[in-house]
PDB file of all heavy atoms in Angstrom:
ATOM      1  N   GLY A  47      99.645  95.576 111.793  1.00  0.00           N
ATOM      2  CA  GLY A  47      98.521  96.424 112.156  1.00  0.00           C
ATOM      3  C   GLY A  47      97.845  96.034 113.460  1.00  0.00           C
ATOM      4  O   GLY A  47      97.048  96.796 113.997  1.00  0.00           O
ATOM      5  N   SER A  48      98.177  94.863 113.998  1.00  0.00           N
ATOM      6  CA  SER A  48      97.565  94.422 115.250  1.00  0.00           C
ATOM      7  C   SER A  48      97.987  95.303 116.424  1.00  0.00           C
ATOM      8  O   SER A  48      97.187  95.552 117.334  1.00  0.00           O
ATOM      9  CB  SER A  48      97.935  92.971 115.556  1.00  0.00           C
ATOM     10  OG  SER A  48      97.401  92.108 114.586  1.00  0.00           O
ATOM     11  N   TYR A  49      99.229  95.730 116.407  1.00  0.00           N
ATOM     12  CA  TYR A  49      99.763  96.594 117.452  1.00  0.00           C
ATOM     13  C   TYR A  49     100.520  97.741 116.781  1.00  0.00           C
ATOM     14  O   TYR A  49     101.752  97.754 116.729  1.00  0.00           O
ATOM     15  CB  TYR A  49     100.691  95.815 118.391  1.00  0.00           C
ATOM     16  CG  TYR A  49      99.961  94.799 119.233  1.00  0.00           C
ATOM     17  CD1 TYR A  49      99.881  93.466 118.830  1.00  0.00           C
ATOM     18  CD2 TYR A  49      99.343  95.170 120.407  1.00  0.00           C
ATOM     19  CE1 TYR A  49      99.199  92.535 119.588  1.00  0.00           C
ATOM     20  CE2 TYR A  49      98.650  94.246 121.172  1.00  0.00           C
ATOM     21  CZ  TYR A  49      98.580  92.931 120.757  1.00  0.00           C
ATOM     22  OH  TYR A  49      97.902  92.010 121.512  1.00  0.00           O
ATOM     23  N   PRO A  50      99.797  98.719 116.256  1.00  0.00           N
ATOM     24  CA  PRO A  50     100.433  99.771 115.463  1.00  0.00           C
ATOM     25  C   PRO A  50     101.471 100.598 116.228  1.00  0.00           C
ATOM     26  O   PRO A  50     102.469 101.016 115.644  1.00  0.00           O
ATOM     27  CB  PRO A  50      99.264 100.638 114.991  1.00  0.00           C
ATOM     28  CG  PRO A  50      98.111 100.279 115.855  1.00  0.00           C
ATOM     29  CD  PRO A  50      98.352  98.890 116.335  1.00  0.00           C
ATOM     30  N   LEU A  51     101.262 100.807 117.507  1.00  0.00           N
ATOM     31  CA  LEU A  51     102.228 101.584 118.279  1.00  0.00           C
ATOM     32  C   LEU A  51     103.557 100.839 118.386  1.00  0.00           C
ATOM     33  O   LEU A  51     104.625 101.426 118.204  1.00  0.00           O
ATOM     34  CB  LEU A  51     101.662 101.903 119.665  1.00  0.00           C
ATOM     35  CG  LEU A  51     102.354 103.007 120.437  1.00  0.00           C
ATOM     36  CD1 LEU A  51     102.431 104.300 119.639  1.00  0.00           C
ATOM     37  CD2 LEU A  51     101.635 103.245 121.754  1.00  0.00           C
ATOM     38  N   SER A  52     103.503  99.557 118.644  1.00  0.00           N
ATOM     39  CA  SER A  52     104.725  98.740 118.703  1.00  0.00           C
ATOM     40  C   SER A  52     105.442  98.748 117.364  1.00  0.00           C
ATOM     41  O   SER A  52     106.675  98.827 117.303  1.00  0.00           O
ATOM     42  CB  SER A  52     104.401  97.298 119.080  1.00  0.00           C
ATOM     43  OG  SER A  52     103.926  97.233 120.387  1.00  0.00           O
ATOM     44  N   GLU A  53     104.686  98.691 116.293  1.00  0.00           N
ATOM     45  CA  GLU A  53     105.279  98.699 114.955  1.00  0.00           C
ATOM     46  C   GLU A  53     105.938 100.043 114.656  1.00  0.00           C
ATOM     47  O   GLU A  53     107.034 100.092 114.091  1.00  0.00           O
ATOM     48  CB  GLU A  53     104.203  98.369 113.919  1.00  0.00           C
ATOM     49  CG  GLU A  53     103.700  96.938 114.061  1.00  0.00           C
ATOM     50  CD  GLU A  53     102.432  96.665 113.283  1.00  0.00           C
ATOM     51  OE1 GLU A  53     102.209  97.301 112.235  1.00  0.00           O
ATOM     52  OE2 GLU A  53     101.661  95.795 113.725  1.00  0.00           O
ATOM     53  N   THR A  54     105.299 101.123 115.077  1.00  0.00           N
ATOM     54  CA  THR A  54     105.885 102.457 114.894  1.00  0.00           C
ATOM     55  C   THR A  54     107.184 102.570 115.677  1.00  0.00           C
ATOM     56  O   THR A  54     108.200 103.032 115.146  1.00  0.00           O
ATOM     57  CB  THR A  54     104.896 103.554 115.351  1.00  0.00           C
ATOM     58  OG1 THR A  54     103.739 103.487 114.524  1.00  0.00           O
ATOM     59  CG2 THR A  54     105.515 104.933 115.246  1.00  0.00           C
ATOM     60  N   PHE A  55     107.163 102.153 116.926  1.00  0.00           N
ATOM     61  CA  PHE A  55     108.373 102.227 117.742  1.00  0.00           C
ATOM     62  C   PHE A  55     109.501 101.401 117.132  1.00  0.00           C
ATOM     63  O   PHE A  55     110.654 101.826 117.120  1.00  0.00           O
ATOM     64  CB  PHE A  55     108.110 101.757 119.168  1.00  0.00           C
ATOM     65  CG  PHE A  55     107.309 102.719 120.010  1.00  0.00           C
ATOM     66  CD1 PHE A  55     106.887 102.352 121.264  1.00  0.00           C
ATOM     67  CD2 PHE A  55     106.961 103.986 119.554  1.00  0.00           C
ATOM     68  CE1 PHE A  55     106.154 103.226 122.064  1.00  0.00           C
ATOM     69  CE2 PHE A  55     106.226 104.867 120.339  1.00  0.00           C
ATOM     70  CZ  PHE A  55     105.819 104.480 121.602  1.00  0.00           C
ATOM     71  N   ALA A  56     109.187 100.228 116.638  1.00  0.00           N
ATOM     72  CA  ALA A  56     110.213  99.367 116.049  1.00  0.00           C
ATOM     73  C   ALA A  56     110.885 100.042 114.855  1.00  0.00           C
ATOM     74  O   ALA A  56     112.062  99.811 114.590  1.00  0.00           O
ATOM     75  CB  ALA A  56     109.607  98.032 115.632  1.00  0.00           C
ATOM     76  N   ASP A  57     110.151 100.890 114.162  1.00  0.00           N
ATOM     77  CA  ASP A  57     110.699 101.596 113.004  1.00  0.00           C
ATOM     78  C   ASP A  57     111.453 102.867 113.373  1.00  0.00           C
ATOM     79  O   ASP A  57     112.138 103.446 112.529  1.00  0.00           O
ATOM     80  CB  ASP A  57     109.573 101.976 112.030  1.00  0.00           C
ATOM     81  CG  ASP A  57     108.960 100.774 111.340  1.00  0.00           C
ATOM     82  OD1 ASP A  57     109.624  99.714 111.279  1.00  0.00           O
ATOM     83  OD2 ASP A  57     107.814 100.898 110.864  1.00  0.00           O
ATOM     84  N   GLU A  58     111.309 103.322 114.617  1.00  0.00           N
ATOM     85  CA  GLU A  58     111.855 104.622 114.991  1.00  0.00           C
ATOM     86  C   GLU A  58     112.932 104.590 116.073  1.00  0.00           C
ATOM     87  O   GLU A  58     113.564 105.613 116.330  1.00  0.00           O
ATOM     88  CB  GLU A  58     110.716 105.538 115.462  1.00  0.00           C
ATOM     89  CG  GLU A  58     109.715 105.845 114.374  1.00  0.00           C
ATOM     90  CD  GLU A  58     108.563 106.718 114.848  1.00  0.00           C
ATOM     91  OE1 GLU A  58     108.458 106.982 116.064  1.00  0.00           O
ATOM     92  OE2 GLU A  58     107.764 107.133 113.994  1.00  0.00           O
ATOM     93  N   ILE A  59     113.168 103.450 116.710  1.00  0.00           N
ATOM     94  CA  ILE A  59     114.118 103.454 117.827  1.00  0.00           C
ATOM     95  C   ILE A  59     115.548 103.172 117.357  1.00  0.00           C
ATOM     96  O   ILE A  59     115.780 102.414 116.420  1.00  0.00           O
ATOM     97  CB  ILE A  59     113.706 102.469 118.941  1.00  0.00           C
ATOM     98  CG1 ILE A  59     113.603 101.046 118.418  1.00  0.00           C
ATOM     99  CG2 ILE A  59     112.411 102.919 119.592  1.00  0.00           C
ATOM    100  CD1 ILE A  59     113.356 100.008 119.508  1.00  0.00           C
ATOM    101  N   LEU A  60     116.474 103.823 118.038  1.00  0.00           N
ATOM    102  CA  LEU A  60     117.893 103.692 117.726  1.00  0.00           C
ATOM    103  C   LEU A  60     118.664 103.625 119.040  1.00  0.00           C
ATOM    104  O   LEU A  60     118.470 104.465 119.921  1.00  0.00           O
ATOM    105  CB  LEU A  60     118.369 104.892 116.904  1.00  0.00           C
ATOM    106  CG  LEU A  60     119.821 104.882 116.446  1.00  0.00           C
ATOM    107  CD1 LEU A  60     120.057 103.758 115.439  1.00  0.00           C
ATOM    108  CD2 LEU A  60     120.194 106.214 115.832  1.00  0.00           C
ATOM    109  N   SER A  61     119.517 102.638 119.171  1.00  0.00           N
ATOM    110  CA  SER A  61     120.325 102.487 120.382  1.00  0.00           C
ATOM    111  C   SER A  61     121.652 103.206 120.202  1.00  0.00           C
ATOM    112  O   SER A  61     122.402 102.916 119.272  1.00  0.00           O
ATOM    113  CB  SER A  61     120.586 101.004 120.667  1.00  0.00           C
ATOM    114  OG  SER A  61     119.380 100.321 120.893  1.00  0.00           O
ATOM    115  N   LEU A  62     121.914 104.119 121.117  1.00  0.00           N
ATOM    116  CA  LEU A  62     123.186 104.843 121.125  1.00  0.00           C
ATOM    117  C   LEU A  62     124.193 104.061 121.962  1.00  0.00           C
ATOM    118  O   LEU A  62     123.814 103.186 122.754  1.00  0.00           O
ATOM    119  CB  LEU A  62     122.986 106.240 121.706  1.00  0.00           C
ATOM    120  CG  LEU A  62     122.036 107.162 120.932  1.00  0.00           C
ATOM    121  CD1 LEU A  62     121.916 108.503 121.641  1.00  0.00           C
ATOM    122  CD2 LEU A  62     122.486 107.353 119.505  1.00  0.00           C
ATOM    123  N   PRO A  63     125.476 104.376 121.819  1.00  0.00           N
ATOM    124  CA  PRO A  63     126.491 103.679 122.615  1.00  0.00           C
ATOM    125  C   PRO A  63     126.185 103.790 124.114  1.00  0.00           C
ATOM    126  O   PRO A  63     125.824 104.864 124.601  1.00  0.00           O
ATOM    127  CB  PRO A  63     127.784 104.417 122.263  1.00  0.00           C
ATOM    128  CG  PRO A  63     127.531 105.039 120.945  1.00  0.00           C
ATOM    129  CD  PRO A  63     126.070 105.370 120.921  1.00  0.00           C
ATOM    130  N   MET A  64     126.329 102.674 124.805  1.00  0.00           N
ATOM    131  CA  MET A  64     126.047 102.636 126.242  1.00  0.00           C
ATOM    132  C   MET A  64     127.000 101.643 126.886  1.00  0.00           C
ATOM    133  O   MET A  64     127.018 100.465 126.522  1.00  0.00           O
ATOM    134  CB  MET A  64     124.598 102.191 126.452  1.00  0.00           C
ATOM    135  CG  MET A  64     124.196 102.041 127.876  1.00  0.00           C
ATOM    136  SD  MET A  64     124.047 103.665 128.612  1.00  0.00           S
ATOM    137  CE  MET A  64     123.205 103.262 130.099  1.00  0.00           C
TER     138      MET A  64
END
Side-chain angles (χ1 to χ4, degrees):
S48 295
Y49 292 95
L51 197 54
S52 293
E53 293 167 30
T54 297
F55 287 173
D57 291 339
E58 296 178 353
I59 59 173
L60 182 66
S61 298
L62 298 179
M64 177 72 167

